[in-house]
């Protein structure tokens, strides 16, 4: 197993390098020239969620066009390399143990796999924090949040939000530490306090999915039932998250704490994370409103599976 971990670590380091290089690119997409009123303008064209979109860059010039073309080619190469590398990494994590190891240490594969998945998620911690930041009410640009987490740079971030980002970072540290699941309601409240201070973990009078008043013990039992279910970890994590969102168990930071609670189970169990990349966040907010007001569970569940559950 040691050799697999060393190989996985080298792949993770290369994956992080590619992701960092993608983050540094000034533009995204290939150049496109449009004519308006007899003048030419440059756009970048890329596909987002299956749809081609154009982003305005500026008036046309040969220098800018060449820069956009070079940028687009580099982005294309980086994304191909990243996809290939992630396939290799997934293969390493799903590779079977040699039979001799399985006989001498029957319990090692599952435990080792959880440890590796937690290690992989720790490598991505800052990106996970930055993606969740808007759910915590943090308005700072994602790149500035990452600059704060990676380098301690606070330029352009209000001091109050600096504290919020660091609190969310500490909450993710708690998610990524090996631990038994324990009491799920207590864990949810703890995550709420880590994000928002003492009042962040305060229970309101919860409302369950049938819009009837539910006492804390009923909510605790429901959370435990979802966690202890027989379905795949991915299904249980999504069900757990949606139950917490619908029931609105905490007075503040409920969705953030629910995301952390789901990931505390999902990452070590399946090597996946429930995450909201920037391009999926607005769609989640729209579907969340429909789910809470109209009880449309199917649409938001399919959306979470397709766009928000990914390998660590």
């Amino acid at each position: 197993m040691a050799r697999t971990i060393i190989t996985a670590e080298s792949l993770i380091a290369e994956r992080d390098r590619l992701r960092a290089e993608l983050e540094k690119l000034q533009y995204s997409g290939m150049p496109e020239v449009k004519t308006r009123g007899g003048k030419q303008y440059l756009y970048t064209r890329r596909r987002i969620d299956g749809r081609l979109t154009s982003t305005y860059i500026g008036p046309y010039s040969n220098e800018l066009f060449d820069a956009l073309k070079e940028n687009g080619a580099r982005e294309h190469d980086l994304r191909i390399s990243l996809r290939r590398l992630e396939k290799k990494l997934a293969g390493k994590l799903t590779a079977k143990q040699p039979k001799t190891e399985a006989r001498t240490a029957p319990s090692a594969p599952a435990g080792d796999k959880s440890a590796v998945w937690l290690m992989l998620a720790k490598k991505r911690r800052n990106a996970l924090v930055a993606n969740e930041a808007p759910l915590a009410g943090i308005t700072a640009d994602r790149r500035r949040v990452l600059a704060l987490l990676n380098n301690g740079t606070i330029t352009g971030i209000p001091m109050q939000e600096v504290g919020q980002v660091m609190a969310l970072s500490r909450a993710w540290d708690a998610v990524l530490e090996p631990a038994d699941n324990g009491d799920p309601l207590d864990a949810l409240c703890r995550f709420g306090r880590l994000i928002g201070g003492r009042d962040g973990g305060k229970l309101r009078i919860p409302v369950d999915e049938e819009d009837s008043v539910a006492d804390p013990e009923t909510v605790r039992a429901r959370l435990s039932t979802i966690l202890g279910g027989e379905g795949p970890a991915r299904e249980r994590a999504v069900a757990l998250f949606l139950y917490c969102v619908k029931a609105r168990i905490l007075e503040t930071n409920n969705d953030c704490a629910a995301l952390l609670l789901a990931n505390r189970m999902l990452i070590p169990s399946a090597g996946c994370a429930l995450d909201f990349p920037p391009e999926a966040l607005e769609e989640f907010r729209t579907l969340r409103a429909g789910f809470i007001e109209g009880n449309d569970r199917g649409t938001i569940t399919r959306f979470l599976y397709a766009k928000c559950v990914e390998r660590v």
Side-chain angles (χ1 to χ4, degrees):
M1 185 65 192
R3 182 175 299 173
T4 302
I5 292 177
I6 292 171
T7 304
E9 285 180 333
S10 65
L11 291 174
I12 294 164
E14 178 63 10
R15 182 188 67 177
D16 291 347
R17 186 191 68 78
L18 292 173
R19 285 177 171 172
E21 193 166 346
L22 274 171
E23 287 280 343
K24 291 177 182 178
L25 291 178
Q26 189 172 359
Y27 307 104
S28 181
M30 294 301 293
E32 178 184 36
V33 181
K34 295 185 179 182
T35 303
R36 298 284 187 272
K39 295 183 178 180
Q40 290 185 319
Y41 300 92
L42 280 169
Y43 293 72
T44 55
R45 190 166 179 81
R46 60 175 178 155
R47 189 175 296 276
I48 301 177
D49 297 334
R51 298 177 59 186
L52 285 172
T53 61
S54 293
T55 303
Y56 175 71
I57 303 299
Y60 179 88
S61 71
N62 290 333
E63 294 79 7
L64 182 55
F65 179 83
D66 290 342
L68 290 173
K69 188 175 180 181
E70 182 179 348
N71 185 95
R74 181 60 182 155
E75 180 188 27
H76 180 262
D77 292 343
L78 285 171
R79 292 195 184 280
I80 288 178
S81 297
L82 189 57
R83 282 196 293 269
R84 289 173 178 169
L85 188 144
E86 286 174 340
K87 286 182 180 179
K88 288 181 182 179
L89 186 57
K92 287 293 179 186
L93 295 180
T94 56
K96 293 183 178 180
Q97 291 282 326
K99 291 184 178 180
T100 54
E101 289 187 23
R103 283 196 297 269
T104 56
S107 61
D112 286 345
K113 199 171 275 192
S114 294
V116 171
W117 284 332
L118 286 170
M119 178 192 71
L120 292 174
K122 286 178 182 179
K123 297 281 187 179
R124 284 195 60 207
R125 188 202 66 159
N126 289 353
L128 293 168
V129 173
N131 286 349
E132 189 178 354
L135 287 181
I138 296 166
T139 61
D141 179 83
R142 182 177 183 274
R143 294 196 179 199
R144 287 178 172 169
V145 172
L146 284 172
L148 170 61
L149 294 168
N150 293 331
N151 309 314
T153 305
I154 63 173
T155 304
I157 305 180
M159 288 309 299
Q160 180 181 353
E161 292 197 356
V162 171
Q164 289 177 279
V165 171
M166 301 316 295
L168 186 58
S169 178
R170 288 191 291 272
W172 267 100
D173 285 339
V175 170
L176 300 176
E177 288 302 318
D180 56 43
N181 282 328
D183 184 278
L185 185 57
D186 288 349
L188 184 72
C189 293
R190 181 188 175 213
F191 289 136
R193 287 192 298 272
L194 286 170
I195 298 166
R198 180 166 33 180
D199 292 338
K202 187 179 294 185
L203 290 171
R204 72 182 195 94
I205 298 175
V207 180
D208 69 12
E209 292 178 294
E210 284 71 41
D211 292 327
S212 59
V213 175
D215 62 85
E217 291 308 313
T218 302
V219 174
R220 178 178 280 110
R222 177 63 175 149
L223 292 173
S224 297
T225 298
I226 296 172
L227 278 171
E230 296 182 354
R234 186 180 73 160
E235 292 181 8
R236 286 181 284 131
V238 169
L240 183 70
F241 175 69
L242 290 179
Y243 173 74
C244 293
V245 168
K246 180 74 172 178
R248 291 162 287 171
I249 300 167
L250 302 181
E251 288 188 359
T252 59
N253 297 309
N254 182 74
D255 289 5
C256 279
L259 190 67
L260 295 171
L261 182 65
N263 277 306
R264 188 184 69 154
M265 181 273 289
L266 180 60
I267 291 171
S269 299
C272 297
L274 183 58
D275 183 29
F276 290 98
E279 62 272 15
L281 187 59
E282 284 306 315
E283 187 175 356
F284 165 70
R285 285 171 168 159
T286 301
L287 294 175
R288 178 189 182 279
F291 171 56
I292 291 177
E293 296 170 9
N295 209 26
D296 184 2
R297 173 179 288 273
T299 302
I300 195 170
T301 299
R302 288 190 294 272
F303 162 77
L304 291 173
Y305 286 155
K307 298 184 180 179
C308 301
V309 178
E310 59 179 25
R311 300 288 296 182
V312 294

